[in-house]
Amino acid sequence: MATCSISYCFSSVFVFLVALDILSFQVMTASGQAATDTDQVQFALNLEFLEAEFFLHGALGKGLDDISPNLAQGGPPPAGARKANLDILVARIIEEFAYQEVGHIRAIVGTVGGFPRPLLNLSRQNFAKFFDEAVGFTLIPAFDPYANTVNYLLASYLIPYVGLTGYVGTLPNLTAPASRRLVASLLGVEAGQDAVIRTLLYERGSQTVLPYPLTVAEFTNRISALRNKLGKSGNKDEGIRVPITLGAENKTTSNVLSADVNSLSYARTPPEILRIVYGTGNESRRGGFYPQGANGKIARTYVTVAGGGRGG
């Protein structure tokens, strides 16, 4: 059996890890250029703007233009956002999340710079379209995310988790310590938000979401299935209850934290995220929450390469 000195083995492992790190940095834009740390961290601003506006309006009935207008950098106000009819506990939690998202935007802009807030579609009609596609039939009456606490939590289920998987995918590709520190810190809070939302939904898992013939758990499973379908990268999304074959160590059907076979967080790339938040399954076809597309170099190159087509 071959042996090696400790120093030689250590050196070999070190070279291998460095090689992996170099390979992991090769995140490309649609035009074939390597994405810089700045490009990758700024891409996350699109999700942070979405979360900030949805949580601010849901809890307070007002958005970034009222709370910290300079951070919007002249971008258009969100369409259709409104105050939600929340119970006292959830209203306080969502208000806290809202202010956290404002801080996230400030931290990103302060570290790598930013861009104007993209146009966001937070209307009831847009959510209703997404939920109809998720369940596979037209919900009557149309799903209204602002109608009550359960509906709002289900709508919230759509958003932080996508940003969370984006940060998991981004972190290994960054080279600057400042960028890595920032994304690690953002990831910690985004994961916490997602865990709180999933826990609140898990607590209500068996509750029927009136007037529809589906429980809370069934809604989460179908939303996750749709995100997997749109993302086109296999299973990276699971509802709050799963078959035991997908549970932690194949021993539980609870799924408060969505994770892979080793209970590690799933990671998504920018194209996967755009396919989901555009609702088109195509990173070059705008629509969904971003009717005019997301901002920043990475998102814009996909639209440019595809000829600027818009999604429905």
Side-chain angles (χ1 to χ4, degrees):
M1 181 175 180
T3 60
C4 66
S5 67
I6 292 176
S7 60
Y8 178 81
C9 289
F10 179 82
S11 298
S12 299
V13 171
F14 179 78
V15 170
F16 176 69
L17 291 176
V18 169
L20 283 179
D21 193 58
I22 291 172
L23 288 172
S24 70
F25 177 67
Q26 300 305 308
V27 175
M28 312 299 287
T29 66
S31 58
Q33 297 176 312
T36 65
D37 277 19
T38 295
D39 298 333
Q40 294 177 76
V41 178
Q42 283 188 348
F43 178 81
L45 264 181
N46 291 292
L47 281 300
E48 298 292 356
F49 277 127
L50 178 64
E51 294 174 44
E53 294 293 3
F54 185 59
F55 290 149
L56 283 169
H57 281 277
L60 304 173
K62 54 187 177 182
L64 201 58
D65 290 329
D66 295 294
I67 302 300
S68 192
N70 62 304
L71 293 179
Q73 296 190 40
R82 54 176 291 188
K83 194 174 188 297
N85 182 25
L86 303 176
D87 64 44
I88 295 174
L89 172 64
V90 172
R92 291 300 300 270
I93 292 171
I94 297 302
E95 180 181 3
E96 179 183 342
F97 287 0
Y99 289 129
Q100 288 173 347
E101 297 307 327
V102 175
H104 288 181
I105 296 171
R106 185 182 301 110
I108 292 173
V109 172
T111 303
V112 298
F115 47 66
R117 173 185 55 200
L119 177 63
L120 303 169
N121 186 352
L122 294 172
S123 67
R124 290 175 291 180
Q125 293 82 359
N126 187 49
F127 278 98
K129 181 179 178 181
F130 193 103
F131 272 75
D132 285 350
E133 188 173 356
V135 301
F137 59 90
T138 301
L139 294 170
I140 300 175
F143 185 86
D144 181 355
Y146 305 107
N148 53 59
T149 295
V150 171
N151 282 22
Y152 191 83
L153 287 172
L154 285 169
S156 298
Y157 180 83
L158 293 175
I159 300 172
Y161 181 71
V162 178
L164 157 64
T165 56
Y167 282 134
V168 175
T170 297
L171 188 53
N173 302 317
L174 302 175
T175 58
S179 298
R180 287 185 167 184
R181 280 195 301 270
L182 174 61
V183 170
S185 299
L186 291 165
L187 173 58
V189 175
E190 292 292 332
Q193 290 180 353
D194 184 63
V196 170
I197 291 168
R198 292 178 71 97
T199 300
L200 290 169
L201 289 169
Y202 185 79
E203 184 180 32
R204 298 164 169 80
S206 299
Q207 178 180 329
T208 299
V209 184
L210 297 174
Y212 313 118
L214 296 168
T215 65
V216 168
E218 288 170 330
F219 264 105
T220 65
N221 290 338
R222 296 192 187 201
I223 292 168
S224 288
L226 176 59
R227 289 192 297 209
N228 280 329
K229 175 184 174 183
L230 293 172
K232 298 180 178 179
S233 294
N235 183 56
K236 295 187 176 182
D237 213 307
E238 299 164 347
I240 58 173
R241 291 183 183 166
V242 293
I244 199 163
T245 53
L246 292 178
E249 296 299 297
N250 305 136
K251 296 184 183 300
T252 177
T253 59
S254 68
N255 201 45
V256 175
L257 301 179
S258 182
D260 69 11
V261 66
N262 294 313
S263 291
L264 302 177
S265 292
Y266 292 108
R268 283 193 170 108
T269 64
E272 292 170 46
I273 291 171
L274 292 174
R275 293 168 199 156
I276 294 168
V277 297
Y278 287 176
T280 62
N282 185 333
E283 62 271 25
S284 301
R285 217 174 129 230
R286 299 173 283 193
F289 292 111
Y290 299 86
Q292 294 181 355
N295 282 344
K297 181 178 178 180
I298 292 176
R300 286 301 177 188
T301 58
Y302 284 104
V303 174
T304 301
V305 169
R310 296 189 180 207

